[in-house]
Amino acid sequence: MSRSRVVRPLTALLFAAFVLPFALAGCSGSGTLMMPAEEFAGHVADVMVDQEKIPRPIVTCGDKPIAIVENATVHCFFSATETPTVLYDSVTTISNVKGADFHIVTKVDAEPQPAE
């Protein structure tokens, strides 16, 4: 697949809410459900593949566990497998948290991050 076909879908993605039933990794002392950042990134990538019908992107959401709480936002970076150094910032909003089920909506920036 050419670069333009892979990068183009990354430039204007806005995912509809999607129910994600997951076995969450644990709880903090306050009862907040927590998920490893790598696992959360995998679920965000799954939504992209399912809804946008594109090849699986590389998604990274840092290295700290993600709190699964209503209206929390998580910043992640997206890139295509063919161009892993071209990074797009994104914001994923978590909503409708009901136990281990929740919805996510992700918006990916239209322009890649400046090269470092």
Side-chain angles (χ1 to χ4, degrees):
M1 182 173 283
S2 73
R3 179 178 174 183
S4 63
R5 286 186 181 172
V6 173
V7 174
R8 195 170 130 239
L10 291 175
T11 61
L13 294 174
L14 179 62
F15 300 111
F18 188 78
V19 176
L20 299 174
F22 303 118
L24 298 177
C27 298
S28 71
S30 66
T32 300
L33 297 171
M34 303 297 290
M35 179 179 283
E38 185 175 316
E39 183 178 346
F40 185 81
H43 296 306
V44 172
D46 289 343
V47 171
M48 178 183 290
V49 170
D50 289 345
Q51 292 183 359
E52 300 299 322
K53 308 298 185 224
I54 62 171
R56 187 173 182 81
I58 300 167
V59 181
T60 57
C61 300
D63 56 4
K64 295 182 181 177
I66 308 296
I68 306 300
V69 296
E70 193 69 26
N71 296 319
T73 58
V74 180
H75 288 268
C76 299
F77 289 101
F78 282 75
S79 63
T81 304
E82 294 82 8
T83 55
T85 59
V86 178
L87 300 176
Y88 291 82
D89 191 21
S90 72
V91 176
T92 297
T93 303
I94 301 168
S95 64
N96 297 328
V97 178
K98 294 180 178 116
D101 294 335
F102 56 97
H103 294 262
I104 60 173
V105 176
T106 299
K107 183 173 190 244
V108 179
D109 285 354
E111 297 295 323
Q113 295 292 301
E116 292 182 12

